[in-house]
Amino acid sequence: MVTLTDVKQIEECVYEIPRSYRDDMRVPARVIADAAILEAASHDRGLEQLVNTACLPGITNFALAMPDIHQGYGPPIGGVLAMDEETGVISPGATGYDINCGVRLLASELSFGSVKPRIEALVDALFAGVPSGVGRGGALHFADRELDALLERGAQYVVELGYGLPDDLAHTEERGCLAGARADAVSHEAKKRGSGQCGTLGSGNHFIEIGRVAEIFDEATARVFGLFQGQLLVWIHSGSRGLGHQVCTDYVRGFQQPMREYGITVPDRELVCAPFASPEGQNYFAAMACAANYAWANRQVMAHLARTVFLDVLGADAHLRQVYDVTHNIVKRETYAVDGQPRTLIIHRKGATRCFPAGHADVPDAYRAAGHPVLVPGDMGTASYVLVGLPAALEKTFGSSCHGAGRVMSRAAASKQVQGKELQQRLRKQGVYVHGGSWEGLAEEAPEAYKDIDRVVRAMECAGVARRVAKAVPIGVIKG
Amino acid sequence: MSFFERVEHTADLAILVRGEDVPALFANAARALFQLMTEPPAAPERTREITLESVDRESLLVDWLNELIYLHEVEGETYAEFRITAFTPTALTAQVIGGATTRKLKTIKAATYHDLRITETAGGAEAHIVFDV
């Protein structure tokens, strides 16, 4: 296992495990962290998993982890891998099963104070109005051809059906549709899992949270993003549901034999991969894009359902404007300067958020002068953040930031230490009303199972990658 | 000693599962999966036959568990009995018996290859499996 003596600080809040640590490393492994975060990360296998990713063919410059790093399967959570487009690989296991798990932030024009007595009614109505929970289906069912169109067009398809506004697309990463999606690359089994789950939250760490802006750090950028002190916000955290899980399962399985034929060996079979330029690699990229589009459609429908609930409970003033929607688990083609030359790289983000500075062509028009919003949801008892990308992100992190607080405690340990019902009562005393689907599910997601999010986002700021814009605290949460 | 136990993992769900031989290990891994995901079915009256081929024994275990996760989700069924009727390191045939799911406890997205180990032991065989949850 990697120990702290194997890690060297190379600049403020950037640490490196050199290539000499293990013979099979092709590049060094870097972590954005402060000393305490790094020390905590050395307690599980996250750093070793990061080293494993540094061994993949075509990996460029360094394998990276954000300060919310923790042990996953394959890469660590918080991992960012940049592969050369011509010589590098694409890995379904390094993208994960919940393809385009991500978060959407909606903002009202209401202040918390004006609706405080109605928060519990609002949370209960959201729980009733947005399908959630283990395996629960949704309101929308798609026939085969409709589902194919959804997979290839993402959020744009459901907006045309009346779920949301065209302006939502202008405030969504990739406008809610990743190019290159081909529905014929998605198996019948995956489509069957996806046919009735669009518009459902799911369970695990997925949630809808009502929050209030508790602190503004950067007034000018907050104004551009439309955020103000005391404002009522809604965070929606979910992904591609069973369809995405099946796409990953299919391609992790399907890549096992071709990887041998391509003569590729990996230190962990979950990092199974194929050359990006190969037919297998291209098919996975097309299927992954479909799953990503499904996830954007899913969050789009849930945003529509949440808006309906807000108007029903709070009245006509409770319109929710979309601030932004980002993905946490994805593969993208992006261009960066490598050795002074622009190069197209295949960026795998596994528990990381896109983070571009002001002026970048992929920042939506409305935000281009300010920079790309980075949405960082925290645990249900602490805080969430909105950050903005800075120029150093392009050279230090392949345009990436942290995606959350990151776990420090296993689900089993959290379930042993925390009783779901007691947690609900404790949070209620703190001013957070939680409506959950199961007590065990709630206990597994207890605030004590997560890192200190304040510290995580400060590490991003300390490395010069992103700047804090606003901090929100939870006041109501629904969990599946 | 129970046929399976949970193993520490920060974010996901890891188990150590045992069997008197490798086919029994596969059956017990399936039993463990359903104990984690659901309550037993009220009426185990539905039999499904599963046939799988994989590149090696570890892949066969992952494919077996993922096939069961798929059937559980799309058919709304929970299985309580797992009869491995033919087994080689790269193929199996099994009958699984179950019924309509009554109560779900946890979503398991998939069985992964991460840290996957099947080892022969003095008492038979054991496997370390990490599930994405």
Side-chain angles (χ1 to χ4, degrees), chain A residues 187-242:
Chain A
S187 70
H188 168 73
E189 288 77 11
K191 290 176 185 174
K192 202 165 173 187
R193 285 176 82 167
S195 65
Q197 290 185 331
C198 189
T200 66
L201 187 62
S203 60
N205 64 357
H206 295 159
F207 61 79
I208 298 180
E209 178 179 305
I210 302 172
R212 72 175 162 83
V213 176
E215 193 171 357
I216 300 279
F217 301 91
D218 171 353
E219 283 285 354
T221 308
R223 260 198 305 281
V224 175
F225 293 167
L227 302 174
F228 60 85
Q229 184 77 23
Q231 184 179 22
L232 202 64
L233 304 174
V234 179
W235 303 78
I236 300 175
H237 181 230
S238 186
S240 49
R241 312 285 284 110

Side-chain angles (χ1 to χ4, degrees), chain A residues 110-135:
Chain A
L110 302 169
S111 66
F112 168 62
S114 66
V115 297
K116 194 174 174 184
R118 284 178 286 173
I119 291 297
E120 294 196 5
L122 190 60
V123 170
D124 291 341
L126 274 174
F127 191 84
V130 184
S132 66
V134 179

Side-chain angles (χ1 to χ4, degrees), chain A residues 44-45 49 52 70-74 77 96-98 133-136 188-190 192-194 197 202-206 241-243 245-246 249 252-253 256-257 260 268-270 272 407-413 415 437-438 440 444, chain B residues 6-14 36-38 51-60 62-67 69-75 90 103-117 128 130-133:
Chain A
D44 70 15
R45 297 181 60 194
Q49 292 179 334
N52 288 342
H70 62 79
Q71 180 182 2
Y73 50 85
I77 309 303
Y97 292 85
D98 198 356
V134 179
R136 190 167 155 199
H188 168 73
E189 288 77 11
K192 202 165 173 187
R193 285 176 82 167
Q197 290 185 331
S203 60
N205 64 357
H206 295 159
R241 312 285 284 110
L243 183 136
H245 310 165
Q246 191 66 38
T249 295
V252 166
R253 179 177 197 216
Q256 297 291 332
Q257 184 62 30
R260 293 178 186 186
D268 174 351
R269 285 184 71 180
E270 190 63 22
V272 66
R407 289 189 78 94
V408 279
M409 190 190 291
S410 72
R411 292 172 191 279
S415 292
S438 86
E440 192 192 344
E444 287 183 357
Chain B
R6 283 180 72 161
V7 179
E8 194 67 9
H9 187 290
T10 311
D12 294 302
L13 202 165
L36 293 164
M37 287 197 299
T38 65
T51 302
L52 290 169
E53 277 185 48
S54 303
V55 293
D56 54 32
R57 192 170 68 170
E58 283 73 18
S59 292
L60 191 62
V62 168
D63 292 346
W64 160 244
L65 295 170
N66 284 334
E67 179 70 13
I69 289 169
Y70 169 74
L71 288 172
H72 167 65
E73 187 168 307
V74 299
E75 304 296 345
T90 57
R103 183 164 175 259
K104 295 198 176 200
L105 303 172
K106 182 181 287 299
T107 295
I108 290 183
K109 295 173 189 167
T112 77
Y113 281 88
H114 180 62
D115 248 351
L116 178 65
R117 295 185 297 273
H128 179 269
V130 177
F131 295 104
D132 183 13
V133 295

